[in-house]
Amino acid sequence: PAAPEPIVSFISSAIALSLLGSRSLSQPCVQENRVPYRFLLSTGVRCDLAEEIAQAAWARGWECRAQLKSQRAVGVWVNTIAKNLVRVDYRRKKTTEELSENSAVIQPDYAGSAVGEILAMCSPVDRELLQQHYLEGWSSNEIAPRLGISPVSVRVRLMRIKQGLRTALGLRGISMPEAA
């Protein structure tokens, strides 16, 4: 159950006062105790999660209070901590999301498309590497262990494959930008 609003406000004020230590405290700084909560709500975070993350941001701020350089920067500083906590929470949920038995795996069909034509110009090994990296979104760090090579070698192979494709397409009168 969520704590009543006055208690949360009191706790936030107490943490803000503690963060600032013996420094003189201006009224605007005390008013900023709800800034992370309002900031999180404005970014679309659910109310209950926003409150939890705002409190965690203040607690993290307390742990790292030696890093605070300016009394006026408390609100921005704690907002940054809150934003980073939201990112960590999002990434953690994204990696632990489970698929149900009814989840369908969609295999796109590239035959007949420009991508299919380009992939057809490659050897099976190069085709697999291009598909994993560009179409499935794998990083070179994820591909490397599967191929038994270093991530740098994966990036070099990708670069050479792209250069070969650029040359082959150039012979057909199709130009590709250098950045591709």
Side-chain angles (χ1 to χ4, degrees):
E5 188 68 23
I7 293 174
V8 172
S9 181
F10 171 76
I11 291 171
S12 296
S13 297
I15 292 173
L17 289 170
S18 299
L19 274 172
L20 297 172
S22 61
R23 300 181 204 167
S24 64
L25 191 61
S26 63
Q27 186 62 26
C29 190
V30 174
Q31 299 283 328
E32 288 184 359
N33 62 4
R34 298 296 292 167
V35 169
Y37 177 72
R38 289 191 308 267
F39 168 73
L40 291 168
L41 288 178
S42 73
T43 61
V45 175
R46 287 189 338 262
C47 183
D48 57 331
L49 187 59
E51 185 134 3
E52 184 178 320
I53 291 175
Q55 290 175 3
W58 279 112
R60 180 75 51 90
W62 171 254
E63 293 169 0
C64 303
R65 65 188 177 276
Q67 296 175 6
L68 181 62
K69 296 176 182 160
S70 170
Q71 172 182 342
R72 290 175 288 176
V74 171
V76 174
W77 185 58
V78 176
N79 276 353
T80 302
I81 294 170
K83 178 177 62 173
N84 290 336
L85 289 172
V86 168
R87 286 180 181 159
V88 167
D89 185 59
Y90 173 75
R91 288 179 184 147
R92 187 174 295 133
K93 285 181 181 176
K94 188 176 177 183
T95 60
T96 60
E97 188 175 301
E98 292 185 25
L99 296 175
S100 67
E101 287 183 29
N102 298 331
S103 297
V105 177
I106 300 172
Q107 294 293 332
D109 183 21
Y110 298 110
S113 68
V115 173
E117 290 179 38
I118 291 172
L119 290 175
M121 299 168 82
C122 301
S123 69
V125 175
D126 291 347
R127 185 178 313 122
E128 182 69 21
L129 185 59
L130 287 172
Q131 283 179 328
Q132 288 175 346
H133 185 70
Y134 290 105
L135 302 177
E136 297 173 15
W138 294 12
S139 71
S140 57
N141 291 336
E142 294 170 325
I143 296 171
R146 294 173 183 245
L147 298 178
I149 59 177
S150 72
V152 173
S153 297
V154 171
R155 291 190 293 273
V156 168
R157 283 184 58 188
L158 286 167
M159 180 191 67
R160 289 182 181 157
I161 294 168
K162 290 189 297 184
Q163 287 174 342
L165 286 171
R166 193 174 288 116
T167 302
L169 290 171
L171 294 174
R172 291 184 175 190
I174 302 170
S175 64
M176 278 180 49
E178 286 297 317

